[in-house]
Amino acid sequence: MNDPALTNNLGDNEKAVISTEAQQRSGETRSSAANAEPPLSRNPPFALRWLSYLLLVPLVGLATAAFGCVSLLCGLWDKSGRQQHFIARLWARTLLLISFSPVKIIGREKLHEHETAVYACNHLSYMDTPVLFAHLPFQFRILAKQSLWKTPFIGWYLNHSGQVPVDLNSPRSLIASLNRGVTTLKHGLPLVLFPEGGRAATGQLQTMMSGCAYMAIKAQVPLIPLTLIGTYELLPIHVYALHPRPLLVVVGDAISTTGLTTRDADALTQRLYESISKTYAEYRE
């Protein structure tokens, strides 16, 4: 990722972000292993597991396909993304109903304090995205790996609703992706993203990449921590059976970026990590 031929024309601050991103990705596995707790029970009871295989998971697939098709049709005339976001919210609420997992928001009032912000969330499960779409009370855009744009139905929605793909193939393409996010913020739309870059294999918080802090600083908008509790137990990585349970979303205090420069991205990311880590430990017990 740090090929000199690709980074010669980038500014010092952008190079620092690239370097940090590469180091954090290379250390992600070590960090996850170091923070691992004794394995949780990854499989629901026998009867519930087969109910998931035979009914719940197929219903999730059917709902995703159906809402994806409707969203694709709306994309033919809805260039603002509002109708597609509404459909995504219906899809998300449908998936939560299918999974028998009610969601409680703690600190909901903080979601109305800032018109535009970067919302950064821990990433535990495929169910994280439905929880956020179902319960964040405003239109937003997400940053996600470009590979998701190739996924049927989900990729169609992402492509036609103005979401922001993150291309990790080169330093230049990564910076370009982050700057597209900055443009989205400057147009008045909040961003929601997972700074860990992937789902946590153990349910523990992983090393965070500094792209969210970089975008918040460049756009001079707050960085707001979101902590999800319970989605790992609902649907861990590499498990294909739902284990219904109550879920929590805890909205943290906004972290101001006023007066910061991109040289402060690492320190800001560390503050974000500490906020989510502390909240996760507190509410998971």
Side-chain angles (χ1 to χ4, degrees), residues 183-216:
T183 299
T184 298
L185 291 165
K186 289 183 175 179
H187 286 162
L189 280 169
L191 287 179
V192 175
L193 65 154
F194 302 113
E196 294 165 275
R199 289 169 293 158
T202 65
Q204 297 303 299
L205 195 62
Q206 304 174 97
T207 302
M208 291 183 173
M209 295 181 282
S210 58
C212 59
Y214 172 87
M215 290 184 291

Side-chain angles (χ1 to χ4, degrees), residues 38-272:
L40 297 170
S41 175
R42 293 168 65 86
N43 288 313
F46 179 83
L48 186 55
R49 187 161 68 248
W50 280 101
L51 177 65
S52 286
Y53 291 151
L54 297 176
L55 180 62
L56 302 184
V57 172
L59 284 175
V60 166
L62 287 172
T64 300
F67 282 106
C69 289
V70 174
S71 179
L72 185 63
L73 287 174
C74 287
L76 297 176
W77 62 79
D78 176 29
K79 302 308 178 183
S80 70
R82 292 184 181 279
Q83 293 179 23
Q84 291 169 299
H85 189 88
F86 176 74
I87 292 165
R89 181 171 292 174
L90 292 178
W91 161 77
R93 291 177 176 175
T94 300
L95 262 58
L96 290 172
L97 286 173
I98 292 170
S99 69
F100 299 104
S101 296
V103 179
K104 179 180 179 181
I105 311 292
I106 297 175
R108 183 186 297 271
E109 68 282 354
K110 299 175 186 176
L111 294 172
H112 302 280
E113 291 177 354
H114 302 278
E115 184 174 347
T116 306
V118 175
Y119 292 85
C121 188
N122 59 324
H123 198 10
L124 301 167
S125 167
Y126 273 137
M127 293 301 292
D128 296 345
T129 300
V131 170
L132 296 176
F133 267 103
H135 290 279
L136 293 182
F138 45 76
Q139 186 181 181
F140 57 85
R141 297 292 181 262
I142 64 171
L143 264 75
K145 293 178 181 177
Q146 194 167 40
S147 59
L148 287 176
W149 267 246
K150 300 177 183 178
T151 305
F153 302 108
I154 293 175
W156 300 345
Y157 167 77
L158 294 172
N159 188 50
H160 287 84
S161 59
Q163 312 306 322
V164 182
V166 178
D167 184 355
L168 302 175
N169 288 329
S170 72
R172 188 175 300 281
S173 60
L174 173 58
I175 289 295
S177 299
L178 297 178
N179 285 335
R180 283 195 293 271
V182 173
T183 299
T184 298
L185 291 165
K186 289 183 175 179
H187 286 162
L189 280 169
L191 287 179
V192 175
L193 65 154
F194 302 113
E196 294 165 275
R199 289 169 293 158
T202 65
Q204 297 303 299
L205 195 62
Q206 304 174 97
T207 302
M208 291 183 173
M209 295 181 282
S210 58
C212 59
Y214 172 87
M215 290 184 291
I217 290 169
K218 290 278 282 187
Q220 286 292 282
V221 299
L223 180 62
I224 300 179
L226 298 176
T227 307
L228 283 168
I229 317 289
T231 53
Y232 175 75
E233 291 79 7
L234 170 62
L235 185 64
I237 190 171
H238 305 315
V239 173
Y240 303 99
L242 297 168
H243 194 174
R245 63 187 51 249
L247 308 174
L248 286 179
V249 181
V250 184
V251 185
D253 294 328
I255 305 172
S256 175
T257 62
T258 303
L260 299 183
T261 72
T262 52
R263 293 184 183 276
D264 300 306
D266 286 347
L268 189 60
T269 303
Q270 182 60 29
R271 289 182 62 188
L272 173 71

